[in-house]
Amino acid sequence: MNRHRHALAAFTVACALTVLASPALTLQATAAPLPSPPPLPEKSLEEVRLEIDGLYREAATATDAYNLAEERAKRQSGEIVRLARMIENGRKRIEGLKAQAGAAARAQYRNGGLPEGAQLVLTNDPQLFLDNAGRLQEGQKATKDLISDLTRTQDELTTYAKEAGDNWTKLEAGRVKQAQAKKEINDKIEAAKKLESKLAADELARLHALELREQNRAQTAWLGSGILAGLSERTSPEAKRAVEFATAQIGKPYVWGAEGPNSYDCSGLTQSAWIAAGRTIPRTSQEQWRLLPHIDIKDMRPGDLIIYFHDASHVGMYVGDGRIVHAPRPGRDVTITGAGTMDILGVVRPG
């Protein structure tokens, strides 16, 4: 019986070893490689155009944030310098007041340590009392004024120092925002350039043709609405000078954050043009939209600024005949194009 059980166990082990050694089962035990994922469908040229356009739009929004932070940093730096000068002048003023107080103390010491009032009371000479009474009142007033002046100057110094500290805090916060905006701008531009770099020469030519076709379509639809009917080409002398300056920059490259004279971004061009015309306007397209007087588009005239997109991230100057001069985006130059080629948010008039 025991011999029978041993024989059966040996047979079972032999069968198991045979099964494990089987090539077919060995292959089944090995994990089969996963199939390669199907290739992603290639984007159409129109989809690429829209993606590139979106990236440059996002870069323009970040550029406005960068320019605004830079403008505020300039103001805050100037304010810190002004406050530092006031603090220095205040300190000199306090030193002068302390010198006056010291002189009064030394005079009192020379008089035996008695104030003038006590000396006057102790005199036995009525005439001397009358002669010095007026001088005593003047001296008391001068002392009171000296103490008030000293206290006021010290209070002013405290206020100036706090304001300087607040401006420094804002300046540092602005620098952080500026650095973040700068990184975002560069990232978006690099992403757009990377997309363009993948296109062959003939595809780039077709992409440019698609851009022009879309601009022409938008401009034709805008003009077809009858928008130019009744628009006046007459404008103010200042606006005329602004238009002349802006159009003289045609051909110069777009560079984000640039205010000229060799390159511009969109709001850098419009601000520089109006400064040349004798009017200072805000630096960014968003601030130009927020702070300048809004004009109904049917009242638009050359020199007015057209603000584009829902976030006011682009601006061009209307030059008449349904056209604007503007700095479009990185990789493009200052040019004249149809005013209706982009989504119009509204119109502002610098002056």
Side-chain angles (χ1 to χ4, degrees):
M1 185 66 177
N2 286 335
R3 286 197 301 270
H4 179 73
R5 283 200 295 266
H6 288 317
L8 181 60
F11 177 76
T12 303
V13 170
C15 289
L17 290 173
T18 303
V19 169
L20 289 174
S22 172
L25 291 177
T26 301
L27 290 174
Q28 290 175 7
T30 303
L34 295 174
S36 299
L40 295 174
E42 291 188 5
K43 295 179 181 178
S44 69
L45 206 55
E46 174 63 11
E47 289 173 326
V48 172
R49 183 190 72 80
L50 291 173
E51 188 172 352
I52 290 173
D53 187 59
L55 287 167
Y56 280 125
R57 283 272 318 280
E58 290 171 1
T61 301
T63 298
D64 238 27
Y66 177 91
N67 289 336
L68 183 59
E70 183 179 43
E71 197 73 3
R72 287 176 175 170
K74 288 178 183 177
R75 289 199 301 267
Q76 285 153 1
S77 296
E79 186 65 10
I80 289 171
V81 170
R82 184 186 71 83
L83 289 167
R85 287 174 181 162
M86 294 178 73
I87 289 171
E88 181 61 23
N89 291 336
R91 284 175 178 163
K92 290 179 180 178
R93 174 68 175 155
I94 285 177
E95 289 173 4
L97 293 171
K98 286 181 176 179
Q100 291 181 36
R106 288 191 296 273
Q108 181 176 321
Y109 177 78
R110 287 195 299 271
N111 290 330
L114 291 175
E116 289 185 349
Q119 295 176 37
L120 185 59
V121 170
L122 294 175
T123 182
N124 293 322
D125 187 344
Q127 186 59 47
L128 181 60
F129 182 92
L130 294 173
D131 291 343
N132 291 339
R135 186 166 60 85
L136 176 62
Q137 290 178 343
E138 292 176 359
Q140 289 174 336
K141 183 179 183 304
T143 301
K144 184 178 179 181
D145 290 345
L146 175 64
I147 294 172
S148 297
D149 202 357
L150 183 60
T151 302
R152 183 176 63 253
T153 304
Q154 288 175 329
D155 290 343
E156 287 174 352
L157 279 182
T158 301
T159 300
Y160 296 155
K162 183 180 182 304
E163 289 180 5
D166 290 344
N167 276 280
W168 183 261
T169 300
K170 292 175 183 176
L171 181 62
E172 289 303 304
R175 284 173 177 163
V176 170
K177 290 180 180 178
Q178 201 170 357
Q180 292 171 341
K182 182 177 182 179
K183 183 181 184 306
E184 186 176 352
I185 294 164
N186 288 329
D187 288 348
K188 299 299 181 184
I189 291 174
E190 285 305 310
K193 287 181 177 178
K194 187 176 180 180
L195 278 174
E196 290 177 320
S197 70
K198 294 179 179 179
L199 300 176
D202 63 324
E203 290 177 314
L204 283 172
R206 286 168 52 211
L207 180 68
H208 186 59
L210 280 175
E211 291 175 355
L212 292 177
R213 187 176 70 185
E214 175 57 26
Q215 290 174 3
N216 289 335
R217 183 203 63 75
Q219 177 71 357
T220 300
W222 186 68
L223 293 177
S225 68
I227 193 69
L228 295 187
L231 277 185
S232 174
E233 298 295 304
R234 298 180 61 185
T235 192
S236 68
E238 294 80 11
K240 185 178 179 181
R241 287 197 296 271
V243 170
E244 289 171 350
F245 179 95
T247 53
Q249 313 313 309
I250 290 173
K252 293 183 178 180
Y254 175 105
V255 174
W256 65 264
E259 301 171 314
N262 299 318
S263 58
Y264 297 89
D265 63 20
C266 65
S267 56
L269 175 65
T270 53
Q271 184 195 47
S272 296
W274 271 99
I275 287 175
R279 173 76 193 276
T280 300
I281 65 173
R283 171 64 178 89
T284 71
S285 58
Q286 291 175 348
E287 290 292 277
Q288 290 170 5
W289 172 247
R290 187 173 72 88
L291 297 174
L292 295 176
H294 289 205
I295 301 298
D296 194 304
I297 199 167
K298 65 181 178 60
D299 298 321
M300 183 170 60
R301 67 189 190 191
D304 290 345
L305 306 182
I306 302 181
I307 310 296
Y308 291 95
F309 308 118
H310 71 277
D311 58 355
S313 58
H314 191 70
V315 60
M317 179 179 291
Y318 185 66
V319 295
D321 196 26
R323 301 177 301 161
I324 59 166
V325 58
H326 73 144
R329 64 166 175 83
R332 299 285 191 265
D333 297 331
V334 176
T335 188
I336 286 183
T337 191
T341 57
M342 298 168 283
D343 296 334
I344 294 175
L345 176 63
V347 182
V348 295
R349 177 167 296 165

